[in-house]
Amino acid sequence: MAASTEAPEPWYLALLGFAEHFRTSSPPKIRLCVHCLQAVFQFKPPPRVEARTHLQLGSVLYRHTKNSELAQTHLEKAISQFEDVKFEAASILSEFYCQQNLVDSAKPVLRKAIQISQQTPYWHCRLLFQLAQLHALEKDLVSACDLLGVGAEYARVMGSEYTRALFLLSKGMLLLMERKLSEVHPLLTLCGTIVENWQGNPIQKESLRVFFLVLQVTHYLDAGQVKSVKPCLKQLQQCIQTISTLHDDEILPTNPAALFHWLPKEHMCVLVYLVTVMHSMQAGYLEKAQKYTDKALMQLEKLKMLDSSPILSTFQVILLEHIIMCRLVTGHKATALQEISQVCQLCQQSPRLFTNHVAQLHTLLGLYCISVNCMDNAEAQFTAALQMTTHQELWTFIVTNLASVYIREGNRHQELYSLLERINPDHNFPVSSHCLRAAAFYIRGLLSFFQGRYNEAKRFLRETLKMSNAEDLNRLTACSLVLLGHIFFVLGNHRESNNMVVPAMQLASKIPDMSVQLWSSALLKDLNKACGNTMDAHEAAQMHQNFSQQLLQDHIAACSLPEHNLISWTDGLPPWAVSASERTYNQPGQPALRTAPQPDGEEESNWGKK
C-alpha cells in the first residue's frame, strides 16, 4: 500500500480507531492497542503522524504497562519539531522520569519546553505548573514559588486573571508550608481581590473561592485558632454548597491560558469535609468529627471506584489520622488500632504516601500506647516520630505528648526538663499555634501538680484556661478544669473544687472525653463523700464504675488484637507490610522504595489539568 504524505489517511484513522477501542475496552486490551499503534509505522507515515504515534505509544506503555524502556524510547522520539506534539511529549516524559526517580533528567526537559513555549499559552502555563510541582516535591519551595510567580505574571500579560489567581493561590499554599507568614498575608489579600473581581464561568469562580478559603481555614487551624476560623469555615461550607448546585459548563474558555481547573468539584467536597473534621477535632466536637468523617469516607469510596487519583488516598489517610485521635479520646481504642492498621495498608501502596505519613503513624501509635498504659512503647514511638519529621507543628505536638509520658513515669527528670525547655510557652515557643502553646501551659501545670507545687500549677492552668476559652478549645478546657478541681480538693477547698469539676464533667460528656469523665467522676465521688453528700457520692461512684468497665473492656479488646503488635514497630516498614511492599515496589526493573521526603498532600498534581 502506498504511503501518503497527507494525513489523515483512512488506514491511519482505522488503526487509531481500533487502538482507542482496545484501550477503552473493559478490561483494557493494551497489548492489542499497542499492536495497532505499532502498525502505523509499517505505512511509513508523514513525520507529524510518526511523532504523534510515538507519543501515543509512549503514553500507553508508560501508563498501562511495566515496559519502561520502550515507553522511554517512544517518548524521547516524540519530542520533535511539531508544536502540537513536543510540549505534550515533554510533559509526559518528565512525568515518566520522575516515576523512575530520574528527577534530574526531568527538569531540563521541562525547562527547555518552557523556554520555547511562550507563544503557546496553554502549554507554557501547564509546564510552569509541572516544574513548580516538581521543585515542591523535592522541598525546594523557593524555586517552586519563583516559577509560580513567573506563571502569575505571564497569565496577567496574557489577560487571564483566572489563571493568574491559580498561580498566586498555589504560591500562597507553598508559602504557608514554609511558614513565610509575612509574605502570605499580602498575597492572600491580593488573591481575595482578584477572585472577587473576576467575572467568568460560575464554577471556575467558586472553585477559586474554595481554594482561597481552604488556604485561609488551614492557616487558622495551623495557628490553633479554632474560634477565629469559624466565619471562614462557614463561608467555605456555603461555597461548596453553591458549587454542588451548579451544572458543569461545557463551553471552554476562549483564552487558551485559562484552560485549567484546580480540583474536580467532587474532590473539593471531600476536601471541605476534611477541613471541617480538622476543625471539629481541634475544637473537641468529636461526634461532629465522626459524622463528617463518615460522609467523607463514603464519598471517597465512591470516587475511588472510578478515579485512581493519588490525592484521594491522601485525603483518606488524613481523615483516618484525625478520626483515630477522636476514637482514642472517646474510649474506642480497639477501633482506633484497626484504623491505624488501615492507614499502614494505604501507605504501603505508595512510597511517597508512606514517607509523608510515617511520622504521623508513629505519633498515633504513641497516643494509642498512652491510652493502654504502655509507656515504654509510647516513648519509643514518639522518639521514632521525632526523627522522621521536620514539620514544626507536628514536632511540637510530639514533644508535648512525650513530656506527658515522662511526667507519668516520674523518673525521667533530666529528659523531661530538656524537653520542657524546648516548648517553653513563656519564652521562644517554637510555633505560632495558639492551641499547642495552651497545651504547653497545661503540661507545665501537670508537672507542678505532681511535684506538689500547687500555686505554680494553678498559674499555668489558669493560663491554659484563658487561652482555651479564647478559642473554644473544649478538650483543653475540660482537662484544665478537672486538674484545677483536683488541686483545690487536695488543698481542702471543696467548694472551689466543685466549681471546677462539675463544668469539667459537663464539657467532657459533651465532647465526649472518656478519660476526663473517668477522672471527673472519681473526683466527684471523693468530693461528695468528703462533704457528706452520700446520695451524690453514690451516683458519682456508679458513674465511675460504668466508665471504668467500658474502658477496661475496650482495653482488653484492643490488646487482644494482632494489630497490637504494631506498638513494637519503630523502624522501616510496618511488620506485615514488608513482603507486600517488596512485591509491589522492588520488582526487577522497578524503582526501589523512595525515601526522599515529599510535602504532604502533593501526591497528585492538580496544577495544570486541562
Side-chain angles (χ1 to χ4, degrees):
M1 187 181 237
S4 170
T5 56
E6 296 179 6
E9 287 288 337
W11 56 263
Y12 176 64
L13 293 176
L15 287 170
L16 208 59
F18 278 125
E20 184 63 6
H21 167 73
F22 291 131
R23 189 186 71 83
T24 56
S25 296
S26 183
K29 298 173 181 176
I30 298 302
R31 187 172 60 84
L32 294 174
C33 170
V34 169
H35 283 331
C36 290
L37 291 172
Q38 287 173 329
V40 171
F41 299 125
Q42 303 300 316
F43 292 87
K44 295 185 171 50
R48 184 184 295 275
V49 172
E50 184 178 347
R52 169 64 62 183
T53 305
H54 280 302
L55 172 62
Q56 290 162 330
L57 268 167
S59 179
V60 167
L61 290 165
Y62 160 53
R63 299 189 193 285
H64 298 283
T65 77
K66 293 179 182 177
N67 197 336
S68 54
E69 286 185 19
L70 192 56
Q72 181 176 345
T73 300
H74 283 293
L75 289 170
E76 287 172 348
K77 286 181 179 177
I79 297 182
S80 62
Q81 74 273 28
F82 299 106
E83 200 171 85
D84 61 335
V85 174
K86 62 184 174 185
F87 299 134
E88 186 176 355
S91 175
I92 297 173
L93 183 60
S94 68
E95 266 185 54
F96 169 82
Y97 283 144
C98 289
Q99 189 201 55
Q100 299 294 310
N101 280 339
L102 300 170
V103 176
D104 289 337
S105 299
K107 289 177 189 172
V109 171
L110 288 172
R111 287 195 195 104
K112 184 178 178 182
I114 287 168
Q115 285 172 359
I116 60 176
S117 62
Q118 292 194 25
Q119 302 308 311
T120 314
Y122 167 72
W123 278 110
H124 190 65
C125 290
R126 177 165 170 171
L127 293 164
L128 281 167
F129 275 126
Q130 193 170 346
L131 184 56
Q133 191 201 7
L134 185 52
H135 282 297
L137 291 175
E138 287 200 308
K139 303 278 189 175
D140 182 2
L141 301 188
V142 173
S143 298
C145 284
D146 288 345
L147 283 162
L148 293 169
V150 169
E153 179 57 21
Y154 178 81
R156 186 191 67 79
V157 171
M158 297 306 296
S160 176
E161 287 295 282
Y162 167 75
T163 305
R164 181 189 178 201
L166 276 180
F167 274 112
L168 290 174
L169 288 166
S170 300
K171 183 178 179 179
M173 179 173 66
L174 297 186
L175 290 172
L176 280 173
M177 288 167 64
E178 278 198 287
R179 301 294 180 264
K180 290 190 174 179
L181 302 185
S182 60
E183 294 179 50
V184 168
H185 294 144
L187 184 65
L188 285 183
T189 301
L190 172 61
C191 288
T193 304
I194 293 171
V195 171
E196 289 309 312
N197 291 340
W198 184 70
Q199 300 299 318
N201 180 308
I203 285 187
Q204 284 187 315
K205 184 178 177 74
E206 290 303 311
S207 73
L208 285 179
R209 290 191 72 223
V210 170
F211 195 170
F212 173 69
L213 288 166
V214 163
L215 292 186
Q216 284 203 311
V217 168
T218 50
H219 178 36
Y220 276 118
L221 291 178
D222 271 352
Q225 295 175 321
V226 173
K227 186 176 182 180
S228 304
V229 77
K230 284 182 178 178
C232 280
L233 183 59
K234 189 173 182 182
Q235 274 185 284
L236 177 59
Q237 290 164 341
Q238 289 170 342
C239 195
I240 202 68
Q241 286 177 344
T242 302
I243 284 184
S244 64
T245 63
L246 294 172
H247 295 290
D248 289 325
D249 194 342
E250 295 299 327
I251 301 171
L252 289 173
T254 53
N255 189 335
L259 291 167
F260 300 93
H261 66 85
W262 175 49
L263 280 175
K265 65 182 181 181
E266 295 82 8
H267 292 199
M268 281 189 266
C269 287
V270 175
L271 182 57
V272 174
Y273 281 138
L274 174 55
V275 295
T276 304
V277 168
M278 291 165 69
H279 174 261
S280 301
M281 176 66 213
Q282 276 199 36
Y285 304 130
L286 303 193
E287 288 181 346
K288 186 177 178 183
Q290 174 69 64
K291 179 179 116 180
Y292 282 108
T293 299
D294 290 343
K295 286 186 175 184
L297 290 174
M298 197 180 303
Q299 181 87 349
L300 275 170
E301 287 305 316
K302 290 177 184 175
L303 288 173
K304 287 178 84 171
M305 289 177 191
L306 306 169
D307 186 346
S308 60
S309 172
I311 201 171
L312 297 178
S313 294
T314 301
F315 287 163
Q316 190 174 359
V317 166
I318 298 171
L319 278 163
L320 286 168
E321 286 170 353
H322 281 79
I323 204 59
I324 287 161
M325 289 188 281
C326 290
R327 307 273 196 218
L328 293 173
V329 172
T330 57
H332 297 95
K333 296 183 280 289
T335 307
L337 186 57
Q338 289 168 325
E339 286 167 338
I340 291 173
S341 171
Q342 190 181 344
V343 174
C344 288
Q345 289 161 17
L346 281 167
C347 286
Q348 86 177 68
Q349 295 167 16
S350 160
R352 188 178 294 150
L353 197 60
F354 178 76
T355 302
N356 287 344
H357 292 271
V358 64
Q360 289 92 318
L361 269 170
H362 286 295
T363 304
L364 291 169
L365 282 167
L367 296 173
Y368 166 75
C369 290
I370 290 176
S371 76
V372 291
N373 207 31
C374 296
M375 293 302 165
D376 289 345
N377 296 99
E379 180 186 351
Q381 291 296 335
F382 289 138
T383 303
L386 287 173
Q387 294 167 354
M388 295 172 185
T389 188
T390 56
H391 190 276
Q392 277 293 298
E393 277 75 11
L394 180 57
W395 181 90
T396 307
F397 179 79
I398 297 165
V399 168
T400 304
N401 282 284
L402 182 55
S404 78
V405 171
Y406 288 153
I407 290 171
R408 292 177 197 215
E409 288 183 324
N411 58 355
R412 306 295 296 278
H413 305 299
Q414 188 175 343
E415 295 96 329
L416 175 59
Y417 289 122
S418 173
L419 285 183
L420 292 178
E421 275 304 305
R422 300 169 80 180
I423 54 165
N424 185 344
D426 287 318
H427 180 66
N428 289 337
F429 194 64
V431 293
S432 59
S433 172
H434 183 93
C435 180
L436 287 171
R437 187 162 171 260
F441 275 117
Y442 176 79
I443 287 294
R444 294 265 170 166
L446 186 66
L447 176 62
S448 299
F449 167 73
F450 275 111
Q451 293 175 335
R453 300 202 306 269
Y454 298 127
N455 285 333
E456 185 179 85
K458 284 191 282 185
R459 181 183 82 78
F460 287 128
L461 293 170
R462 282 172 178 149
E463 197 63 38
T464 304
L465 272 179
K466 184 172 77 175
M467 294 185 72
S468 299
N469 287 332
E471 286 293 344
D472 289 348
L473 304 170
N474 289 332
R475 282 203 65 226
L476 270 176
T477 300
C479 291
S480 302
L481 284 171
V482 72
L483 185 49
L484 275 168
H486 205 134
I487 291 168
F488 284 121
F489 179 73
V490 170
L491 293 173
N493 189 340
H494 294 164
R495 175 179 291 182
E496 199 61 33
S497 177
N498 192 68
N499 289 343
M500 299 291 134
V501 179
V502 170
M505 175 60 103
Q506 291 168 344
L507 197 50
S509 303
K510 181 182 169 186
I511 292 171
D513 186 323
M514 189 64 83
S515 296
V516 175
Q517 285 177 292
L518 183 72
W519 188 1
S520 299
S521 59
L523 196 50
L524 276 173
K525 178 187 71 173
D526 294 341
L527 190 57
N528 283 305
K529 191 175 179 182
C531 294
N533 301 328
T534 310
M535 291 291 291
D536 291 339
H538 177 73
E539 185 182 334
Q542 190 60 53
M543 276 197 299
H544 182 73
Q545 178 68 15
N546 292 341
F547 293 136
S548 296
Q549 282 299 314
Q550 287 178 51
L551 284 168
L552 180 61
Q553 287 168 10
D554 184 52
H555 180 105
I556 293 168
C559 294
S560 303
L561 290 170
E563 291 88 347
H564 183 73
N565 292 325
L566 276 171
I567 68 172
S568 303
W569 164 60
T570 55
D571 188 35
L573 292 170
W576 63 80
V578 175
S579 59
S581 71
E582 284 172 352
R583 287 196 303 274
T584 306
Y585 300 125
N586 296 342
Q587 293 169 338
Q590 294 299 305
L593 178 66
R594 282 178 277 181
T595 54
Q598 309 291 346
D600 197 15
E602 296 297 327
E603 281 80 359
E604 162 75 359
S605 170
N606 292 291
W607 302 344
K609 288 296 179 72
K610 190 169 180 180

